[in-house]
Amino acid sequence: MSALTPLLLRGLTGSARRLLVPRAQVHSKPPREQLGVLDITIGLTSCFICCLLPAGWVLSHLESYKKRE
């Protein structure tokens, strides 16, 4: 590395140090009402059906997709 490299790098990063980035004002509160067992079961079941079932279908029928007919 040349002797000018640190000076060039300092010149590039010097302007970035002066930029102010706004911080997000995130505040959380406790839930208004607790979720019941039925709510959690319905949510997890819908996630399973929407995400894992199509992937399982494709993986189980992979051999038939490979065949060219």
Side-chain angles (χ1 to χ4, degrees):
M1 279 194 339
S2 71
L4 294 177
T5 304
L7 293 174
L8 291 173
L9 290 175
R10 192 176 309 133
L12 290 174
T13 60
S15 61
R17 287 186 193 147
R18 286 179 244 140
L19 296 175
L20 295 177
V21 178
R23 295 186 62 164
Q25 301 294 324
V26 178
H27 301 284
S28 65
K29 297 179 183 176
R32 292 185 187 134
E33 57 186 53
Q34 295 294 326
L35 293 177
V37 175
L38 182 64
D39 297 329
I40 293 172
T41 305
I42 291 171
L44 290 176
T45 304
S46 64
C47 287
F48 172 77
I49 290 172
C50 292
C51 297
L52 297 178
L53 200 61
W57 175 267
V58 170
L59 288 176
S60 66
H61 292 85
L62 199 57
E63 292 300 323
S64 65
Y65 292 140
K66 287 181 182 179
K67 294 178 186 175
R68 292 189 181 216
E69 294 179 339

